[in-house]
Amino acid sequence: MAQEKLLLIPGPSPVVPRILDVLAKPTVSHVGPDMVHDFKEACENLKKIVFCENGQPFIISGAGTLSMEMAILNTAGPGDRVLVLSQGYFGQRMAQICLAFGLEHDLLESNWGKAVTSRELEQRLRAKNYNIVVCTHVDTSTGACAPVEEYSQVLEKAGALFIVDGVCATGGIPERMDAWGIDVVLTAAQKCLGTPPGLSILVLSEQAMEKRRNMATVPAYYSDLLRWLPIMHDPSKYFSTPCVNEVRAFAEATRIILEEGIEERFERHEAYGEAIRAGLGALGFSFFTDPSFLASTLSVVRYPDGVDDKAFRAGLNANGVVVAGGLAQTAGKVFRMGHMGNLTSAQVRLVIDAVEKTLAGLGRPVTPGAGRKAVDDVLRV
Ligand code: PMP
């Protein structure tokens, strides 16, 4: 078998053996006791991860885009006015979803590399009335992290329902649903939560659930959260066959998160993000994202002059690390490196060593150990 490479794309993130072991267990009945136990535990743990005591979790086969669609479909209908805050590709996708369902919506966009500020949000809400506001917490195309807590303060006054796309943040960056008044966190299994792709994950506040109940119908069948609600309360009931192994693996992933400690996990993401950027900076790279919006979960990295995107990524791959290219307008100009989920400090060091080796292989002048020293200065352990 080929040597396993360290997968540092902006999701899926590397999956640790404890989770892989659960995936490899024999498939059990989707309505049997083992599955019911793990499903319920995953739901309870998920509420802790997003700090939502009385919210309603949903764990459904799919991916992040289905979560986006379900969040919108189940809270917005005719007569609603949706404001989509966007700092990149996935914010634009949210607007496309609104368009696909004929919803009245506007897009408020920042330049790529930054995010809409809470002041800009406030100004827009003064100019026009919206009852639903959607934002992308971290846009994977730009590495920019939106000021979600500040948005929530503005939205509390405005009384709008607040939906957060946490696909590249949930479990790695705080999303305090109750304290901040977030109504929907939508996310997916494969990034900071550390499970392989395959799950659409949402948590709705009581207000968001009330909104869904007040909408007579939604233009969907599988994506209608009210059809899934009985299963989330009692997973021994049937609506559509869940991906049994993936749900059980996700339950294990939530255990790992709570064992680490959710606050400690946020701090670890901060530390690794800082360390990786220090290491890359010491090796001559710079960053696409504006310094005041840097996400701790991924970096969007500009090359030193004269380093070719394809040659660099191929070299890094040969040295055991997989990163992604730029998306849309940044293609060919940057690489994107995820540093989220269940990474270790040894892996952080390994990646910086691999980058140094790759640069040397491309004939670039490098000071041996400069990247590693910068990482050590941040991490110490
Ligand atoms: N939102 C964000 C912020 C994302 O990063 C992604 C995936 N990269 C998605 C939504 C869509 O998720 P998926 O690819 O799982 O459909």
Side-chain angles (χ1 to χ4, degrees):
M1 213 165 90
Q3 173 90 36
E4 200 178 303
K5 297 189 192 270
L6 181 59
L7 187 64
L8 291 191
I9 57 177
S13 62
V15 181
V16 295
R18 250 179 84 177
I19 296 175
L20 290 175
D21 286 350
V22 177
L23 279 171
K25 280 187 176 179
T27 299
V28 295
S29 161
H30 58 293
V31 289
D34 291 336
M35 177 64 170
V36 169
H37 173 273
D38 284 352
F39 207 135
K40 280 188 171 166
E41 190 181 342
C43 286
E44 282 312 305
N45 289 349
L46 181 58
K47 287 201 287 184
K48 292 183 188 144
I49 291 167
V50 294
F51 304 91
C52 187
E53 214 174 318
N54 298 316
Q56 180 55 58
F58 291 91
I59 301 170
I60 296 169
S61 307
T65 305
L66 182 64
S67 306
M68 294 166 81
E69 190 164 300
M70 288 194 291
I72 284 291
L73 257 176
N74 286 275
T75 53
D80 288 314
R81 292 162 315 281
V82 183
L83 177 63
V84 178
L85 308 178
S86 170
Q87 69 259 39
Y89 183 89
F90 289 100
Q92 290 171 348
R93 174 170 294 187
M94 193 55 106
Q96 286 165 10
I97 291 171
C98 291
L99 192 65
F101 291 100
L103 296 166
E104 188 186 330
H105 69 283
D106 289 321
L107 184 62
L108 178 57
E109 283 188 284
S110 71
N111 287 334
W112 278 39
K114 296 187 175 193
V116 173
T117 64
S118 54
R119 218 182 126 77
E120 287 163 336
L121 170 61
E122 206 166 7
Q123 280 165 354
R124 175 57 73 99
L125 292 178
R126 250 186 250 127
K128 191 170 168 184
N129 194 0
Y130 298 92
N131 63 338
I132 299 169
V133 174
V134 190
C135 82
T136 315
H137 198 162
V138 173
D139 203 302
T140 329
S141 60
T142 69
C145 184
V148 170
E149 186 179 3
E150 289 175 25
Y151 290 167
S152 70
Q153 285 158 1
V154 173
L155 293 175
E156 203 183 341
K157 286 183 236 150
L161 214 68
F162 185 24
I163 301 175
V164 177
D165 171 350
V167 172
C168 196
T170 311
I173 302 177
E175 292 173 334
R176 304 182 196 276
M177 284 188 71
D178 289 342
W180 296 354
I182 299 172
D183 292 292
V184 182
V185 164
L186 69 96
T187 191
Q190 73 268 21
K191 302 210 184 201
C192 307
L193 299 166
T195 323
L199 290 176
S200 296
I201 297 166
L202 300 101
V203 183
L204 272 70
S205 70
E206 288 172 298
Q207 288 90 324
M209 284 306 295
E210 193 182 313
K211 180 72 198 292
R212 170 62 196 92
R213 287 200 183 89
N214 290 340
M215 294 161 70
T217 56
V218 296
Y221 186 80
Y222 186 86
S223 294
D224 181 353
L225 292 179
L226 284 191
R227 293 187 197 277
W228 285 104
L229 191 57
I231 284 74
M232 299 305 138
H233 289 156
D234 177 5
S236 72
K237 292 195 170 126
Y238 169 73
F239 170 53
S240 168
T241 311
C243 36
V244 172
N245 295 52
E246 172 80 14
V247 171
R248 299 189 76 196
F250 177 60
E252 186 69 4
T254 63
R255 287 178 203 118
I256 290 173
I257 293 171
L258 298 180
E259 280 166 26
E260 178 176 11
I262 184 75
E263 302 295 344
E264 287 77 4
R265 193 173 175 90
F266 298 148
E267 282 164 22
R268 179 171 61 72
H269 276 77
E270 282 288 336
Y272 287 6
E274 199 188 319
I276 283 181
R277 287 195 273 262
L280 292 173
L283 293 172
F285 294 87
S286 60
F287 301 95
F288 174 81
T289 316
D290 185 284
S292 44
F293 294 98
L294 286 168
S296 62
T297 51
L298 88 153
S299 295
V300 180
V301 189
R302 289 187 200 277
Y303 293 103
D305 282 344
V307 174
D308 175 69
D309 174 47
K310 279 209 174 86
F312 174 80
R313 285 194 288 129
L316 191 59
N317 194 306
N319 288 320
V321 178
V322 185
V323 295
L327 212 56
Q329 58 179 264
T330 63
K333 298 178 192 147
V334 299
F335 73 89
R336 294 178 304 138
M337 179 184 284
H339 28 82
M340 59 189 126
N342 296 313
L343 279 192
T344 63
S345 55
Q347 287 170 322
V348 170
R349 291 184 168 95
L350 182 150
V351 67
I352 295 300
D353 292 349
V355 169
E356 180 184 312
K357 196 170 161 196
T358 304
L359 288 177
L362 293 174
R364 304 284 305 181
V366 284
T367 313
R372 172 65 87 100
K373 183 181 176 309
V375 169
D376 287 345
D377 285 346
V378 176
L379 288 187
R380 296 187 200 285
V381 284

